[in-house]
Amino acid sequence: MLSRNIRVASLASAVVLVLGVTACGSGNQTASNAPASPQGEGASPAANTTTGSNLSGTVKVDGSSTVFPISEAMAEEFQKANPGVQVTVAQSGTGGGFKKFCNNETDISNASRPIKAEEVELCKKGNVEYIELPVAYDGISVVVNPQNKFAQCLTIAELKKMWEPAAQGKVTTWNQIRPEFPNQKLGLYGPGTDSGTYDFFTNAVVGKEGESRGDYTASEDDNTLVQGVSADPGGLGFFGYAYYENNKDKLALVSIDNGKGCIQPSAETIGNGTYQPLSRPEFIYVKKSAATRPEVQAFVNFHFAPENQELVSEVGYVPLPNDLVSQVQARFKEGKVGSIFEGKGSQTGVTLADLLKQEK
């Protein structure tokens, strides 16, 4: 398969990217505790792994802009084998995606953090049961303008000094972060408050999810953040690793020192967990009632087929190890509803392997 580059042109977060040919069928159903299967009584959501031109229908995906490149790549390849299925992929942020998902507007919700308690309640009100499936690892990348030759490594404490609520209107120049830095205006760029990346970053850096200064340039479209930092000599921003990987010529990557030396995000440091505390899993949440539909089953299973793991790497993320892929596949096959994170949202210092083991 040919390597992919994330589109440089900004994609408005409310615009649905339609990747497909023929649309038929509905993407919204009401969840039930024991969904009927097209394969017969008692069949599991993942029982049908069929792909081919006999499949038809529509799969609606929305949510995280960080997970968007994975879904985009999967949808593109899936539809080549299944031209009768239309997969629509939108990026309204993790929080915005969950609102639509819990309101029965989508089949799959992309998320760059686990579901929060208030979103769990929202899904209960919408009678939506969901299957939580990790799909990849990511490391939130902190980037600066290439002209910045001094901020090559920053500590978590220094990032907090920039981003905490108390910094608003007060911390405005680089020499306030470190005395030896120049007296240059500090320009901050980051995801908006509907973003799971924003939630995870604020939890890891500031110490409380959703808490930060408000006087920064915010966008749910990571390409907009790339453009902002690349045009601002004093700019600093954060977003998923894939967006740095696909814009290396416009950005400089900052190493992070969490007390164990300066470490940059890479496939190796993200995969082995040494890039802390900014490494995290990425998720798709599948509506259980939708998972009984053959086109949804096939598209979800397509994510975890061994031959498709290279798509995760191609768009700049780190595939899950094979043993975890098997556990995630089993989770979908069994139709296991709920979250291994128990609705606590963004968490640091935990591993998928441990959480999945505890669930057994």
Side-chain angles (χ1 to χ4, degrees):
M1 297 180 184
L2 298 175
S3 295
R4 289 170 174 76
N5 287 323
I6 296 173
R7 288 163 172 75
V8 174
S10 295
L11 298 172
S13 60
V15 176
V16 175
L17 173 67
V18 179
L19 300 167
V21 180
T22 309
C24 59
S26 170
N28 297 323
Q29 296 183 13
T30 302
S32 63
N33 290 328
S37 168
Q39 267 62 58
E41 190 72 27
S44 67
N48 183 3
T49 59
T50 303
T51 59
S53 59
N54 61 309
L55 283 177
S56 64
T58 300
V59 182
K60 296 181 181 179
V61 185
D62 202 339
S64 168
S65 62
T66 306
V67 185
F68 174 83
I70 298 174
S71 290
E72 180 188 36
M74 292 292 177
E76 182 180 334
E77 295 301 322
F78 177 76
Q79 287 172 130
K80 287 179 182 178
N82 301 277
V85 180
Q86 181 186 48
V87 182
T88 63
V89 185
Q91 47 175 337
S92 57
T94 297
F98 274 129
K99 289 173 187 175
K100 294 180 180 180
F101 181 72
C102 297
N103 196 37
N104 281 286
E105 297 176 34
T106 58
D107 303 307
I108 296 172
S109 199
N110 291 339
S112 57
R113 57 150 173 81
I115 192 168
K116 295 181 181 179
E118 56 264 36
E119 293 159 344
V120 171
E121 290 304 311
L122 190 63
C123 278
K124 285 182 180 178
K125 289 180 181 178
N127 196 28
V128 172
E129 290 185 300
Y130 51 83
I131 306 168
E132 178 186 72
L133 304 173
V135 292
Y137 285 125
D138 177 39
I140 297 178
S141 299
V142 178
V143 298
V144 293
N145 186 282
Q147 296 180 36
N148 185 329
K149 304 300 182 183
F150 52 86
Q152 297 179 354
C153 180
L154 294 169
T155 67
I156 292 298
E158 288 170 334
L159 288 175
K160 181 179 181 180
K161 192 172 184 179
M162 292 180 193
W163 286 97
E164 63 186 345
Q168 182 162 330
K170 297 177 182 178
V171 179
T172 58
T173 59
W174 276 97
N175 63 345
Q176 291 177 278
I177 305 303
R178 196 184 296 178
E180 57 264 37
F181 287 168
N183 184 16
Q184 182 180 21
K185 184 179 178 181
L186 173 66
L188 294 176
Y189 301 82
T193 56
D194 262 347
S195 166
T197 300
Y198 171 83
D199 289 334
F200 192 95
F201 182 86
T202 51
N203 181 58
V205 170
V206 179
K208 188 173 182 181
E209 186 174 292
E211 292 289 327
S212 78
R213 64 192 299 167
D215 57 342
Y216 72 97
T217 300
S219 177
E220 303 298 346
D221 183 352
D222 293 315
N223 288 303
T224 299
L225 304 178
V226 169
Q227 292 168 7
V229 175
S230 64
D232 182 352
L236 175 142
F238 66 91
F239 37 71
Y241 181 64
Y243 286 89
Y244 164 73
E245 277 288 288
N246 286 275
N247 293 278
K248 287 181 178 181
D249 57 330
K250 302 175 184 176
L251 304 166
L253 191 60
V254 177
S255 297
I256 302 301
D257 186 352
N258 190 34
K260 297 182 179 180
C262 300
I263 298 175
Q264 282 195 346
S266 67
E268 181 181 1
T269 62
I270 293 168
N272 65 23
T274 56
Y275 181 65
Q276 288 294 336
L278 297 180
S279 293
R280 56 178 179 165
E282 304 292 334
F283 303 89
I284 60 173
Y285 286 74
V286 184
K287 186 165 62 173
K288 188 173 182 180
S289 60
T292 64
R293 300 191 343 245
E295 70 275 19
V296 176
Q297 292 174 24
F299 181 58
V300 173
N301 285 319
F302 191 84
H303 284 68
F304 302 105
E307 64 271 21
N308 294 328
Q309 293 308 295
E310 66 183 85
L311 294 176
V312 175
S313 298
E314 284 181 10
V315 296
Y317 295 95
V318 180
L320 300 177
N322 291 336
D323 59 333
L324 280 186
V325 171
S326 298
Q327 291 180 60
V328 174
Q329 285 177 306
R331 186 178 178 83
F332 183 57
K333 184 177 182 180
E334 294 166 14
K336 191 167 289 186
V337 298
S339 171
I340 58 175
F341 292 84
E342 300 178 337
K344 295 178 182 178
S346 303
Q347 296 180 49
T348 59
V350 296
T351 69
L352 285 178
D354 288 343
L355 290 172
L356 288 167
K357 189 182 298 182
Q358 290 171 17
E359 187 182 45
K360 291 182 179 181

